[in-house]
Amino acid sequence: MIKKYNNEKIDPLQYMVLVIFTLRSFYNGIGIQNILKISKYDTWISILLGIIIGFLPILIVMYLNKKNTNLFDILKSKIVKFIIMLFLCFSFITLLHDFISFSNLKYLFETSNLIIALLFILPSLYIVNKGIEKIGRSALFMFYISVFLFFIICISLIQFIDFNNLKPILKDGFIPILKSSIHFISYSLAPILFLSIIPKEEKNYKEYNKKILIGYIISSFSIFIIIFYITTVFNYQYASLFNYPTYFLFKKIEYKFLSNIENILSLFFIIDYFYTIFVYMYLIKYYLEKEFKIKDKLLNITYLFIIGIIVYISVFVYKNINVVHFVANKLLFYILLLFILLFVIFVPILIKKDNKNEDKL
């Protein structure tokens, strides 16, 4: 008889892999587009600066791990938790639309957006229903494929590097670099902070903290390398013409025995899309079960209703080009940044408050 796994917690290695995937989730299209527009030739500098600044929220997540707790455990207000889930759902909707658009433009260009969404969401419902431990184990397997693709990309593109495309350096001063680095933090850190809601195994917190640091560094520098290639293989003006510059970067790679290699290499980012959306879907169900104490049929009906609304908005509301432009280029950045700022400001205060209450007891 096959043993049935019921573990609803992820181990440190699975946690690290999900950090890597979620951090990169906005960097196939939206993130790279907006950062390139702001810092232009100096984008590589802004990414490095953003990586350094981004350690502050990561340190707070590590402090949560040290206390052997998660974000929902230290939040007492149901209203605050509901607001966090609104942030998450907004991020989910935008990311799902970005994934659908990419699939429609590059793979399924004769298929309606609704069909694309259903083709992805329906199998995802089955996977998410298996629990976070199953998501973590499958993510670990896909991580090795992702690493393999990344090395192929890096090795294949070296020959196209032209450092002259990085000139002129600091032409517009330091302000655009700083602004772009804040955009990097917004797109990268918010999905990781959502991960802090997920329950973890009761192991030494040092293991989780070690893995989140490794995951943050690996994922951040993989983004840096991809953007470095974009800005050296292409010049800024040419790269900024595309909605998905990474896809056109991969088109530079050619092998005589394979055609359309860019479609295969794009799996590198598609994996990020998939697992970030898996995490979002799991957290919605986790929230409904933990906070509203609903189970079985009512839980499934409520959960499916929310996912249905998210799909509807992603496909039909975002169909308006003006809405998409406003959300992708402006609103997303501010919503995610607001969530990060609230996390950085209030989570340490709440942890200290809990510590004082424990001392009194």
Side-chain angles (χ1 to χ4, degrees):
M1 184 174 180
I2 299 174
K3 180 181 178 181
K4 183 178 179 180
Y5 290 91
N6 292 308
N7 186 5
E8 282 302 309
K9 299 181 180 181
I10 53 174
D11 68 27
L13 188 58
Q14 295 167 359
Y15 181 55
M16 181 194 79
V17 172
L18 290 179
V19 166
I20 293 171
F21 290 158
T22 55
L23 189 150
R24 290 195 306 234
S25 57
F26 281 111
Y27 283 95
N28 184 35
I30 295 172
I32 290 179
Q33 277 182 289
N34 291 328
I35 288 173
L36 279 173
K37 288 177 184 176
I38 297 168
S39 49
K40 300 176 182 178
Y41 302 97
D42 299 321
T43 299
W44 64 278
I45 301 175
S46 68
I47 297 300
L48 289 176
L49 179 61
I51 292 171
I52 295 170
I53 299 173
F55 274 103
L56 176 59
I58 293 297
L59 290 174
I60 296 175
V61 175
M62 292 171 66
Y63 192 40
L64 272 175
N65 293 342
K66 183 178 180 180
K67 301 301 293 182
N68 194 28
T69 186
N70 62 52
L71 184 58
F72 272 12
D73 286 340
I74 65 168
L75 293 173
K76 308 303 180 185
S77 171
K78 290 185 178 293
I79 295 175
V80 174
K81 294 179 184 179
F82 178 73
I83 293 172
I84 290 174
M85 294 310 296
L86 289 180
F87 284 141
L88 184 145
C89 287
F90 176 76
S91 179
F92 183 2
I93 290 166
T94 308
L95 186 68
L96 180 60
H97 173 78
D98 190 43
F99 173 72
I100 292 169
S101 298
F102 178 69
S103 301
N104 183 272
L105 288 171
K106 308 305 175 187
Y107 295 96
L108 304 170
F109 45 85
E110 294 183 354
T111 308
S112 72
N113 285 352
L114 178 60
I115 296 300
I116 294 173
L118 293 177
L119 284 173
F120 173 66
I121 289 295
L122 292 177
S124 299
L125 289 170
Y126 174 79
I127 295 170
V128 172
N129 190 55
K130 294 294 183 180
I132 192 62
E133 195 267 344
K134 297 290 195 304
I135 295 172
R137 285 195 289 127
S138 64
L140 188 58
F141 172 77
M142 296 305 295
F143 173 67
Y144 299 119
I145 296 176
S146 179
V147 170
F148 175 72
L149 291 171
F150 184 71
F151 277 108
I152 291 177
I153 292 164
C154 291
I155 294 169
S156 302
L157 289 173
I158 289 176
Q159 59 182 314
F160 300 112
I161 290 177
D162 183 356
F163 289 100
N164 290 320
N165 287 329
L166 296 177
K167 299 176 182 178
I169 297 176
L170 298 176
K171 179 184 178 183
D172 298 322
F174 185 73
I175 297 301
I177 294 174
L178 180 60
K179 185 178 178 182
S180 187
S181 67
I182 295 173
H183 275 70
F184 170 82
I185 293 168
S186 176
Y187 299 129
S188 303
L189 271 295
I192 292 180
L193 300 187
F194 291 134
L195 268 177
S196 63
I197 298 171
I198 293 177
K200 304 168 188 67
E201 291 182 354
E202 294 180 3
K203 291 185 177 181
N204 191 326
Y205 73 90
K206 292 181 180 180
E207 282 298 311
Y208 283 100
N209 286 348
K210 179 181 176 182
K211 291 299 187 292
I212 193 174
L213 272 179
I214 294 172
Y216 176 69
I217 292 170
I218 289 174
S219 195
S220 298
F221 276 97
S222 66
I223 292 171
F224 169 78
I225 291 170
I226 292 294
I227 289 180
F228 176 78
Y229 273 124
I230 290 172
T231 51
T232 54
V233 173
F234 301 136
N235 56 44
Y236 154 71
Q237 290 93 339
Y238 185 70
S240 62
L241 296 175
F242 306 116
N243 289 332
Y244 300 97
T246 51
Y247 182 81
F248 287 92
L249 175 69
F250 296 163
K251 285 176 75 72
K252 296 283 290 184
I253 301 171
E254 294 181 357
Y255 295 105
K256 293 181 179 179
F257 56 91
L258 280 175
S259 60
N260 298 321
I261 187 66
E262 64 275 7
N263 291 336
I264 299 173
L265 296 178
S266 291
L267 182 62
F268 174 74
F269 280 110
I270 290 173
I271 292 171
D272 298 338
Y273 278 126
F274 269 51
Y275 280 91
T276 303
I277 292 173
F278 289 164
V279 168
Y280 286 165
M281 291 175 67
Y282 170 80
L283 288 175
I284 291 171
K285 193 168 187 178
Y286 175 79
Y287 168 73
L288 292 172
E289 190 170 12
K290 183 177 177 64
E291 297 305 313
F292 295 96
K293 310 300 181 183
I294 55 178
K295 296 182 179 181
D296 303 327
K297 289 184 178 180
L298 181 59
L299 172 63
N300 292 328
I301 291 170
T302 308
Y303 173 63
L304 289 174
F305 178 72
I306 293 173
I307 297 300
I309 292 175
I310 287 171
V311 171
Y312 178 85
I313 296 173
S314 299
V315 173
F316 295 106
V317 177
Y318 277 35
K319 194 173 183 178
N320 186 305
I321 190 65
N322 293 323
V323 172
V324 173
H325 178 79
F326 174 71
V327 170
N329 296 331
K330 296 181 181 179
L331 189 59
L332 177 67
F333 163 69
Y334 291 110
I335 291 292
L336 296 182
L337 183 62
L338 176 62
F339 173 63
I340 293 169
L341 290 174
L342 292 175
F343 183 92
V344 170
I345 293 169
F346 289 106
V347 167
I349 295 173
L350 291 171
I351 293 175
K352 287 183 180 180
K353 186 178 179 180
D354 279 355
N355 289 342
K356 288 182 180 179
N357 291 336
E358 289 177 3
D359 291 340
K360 288 180 181 179
L361 294 174

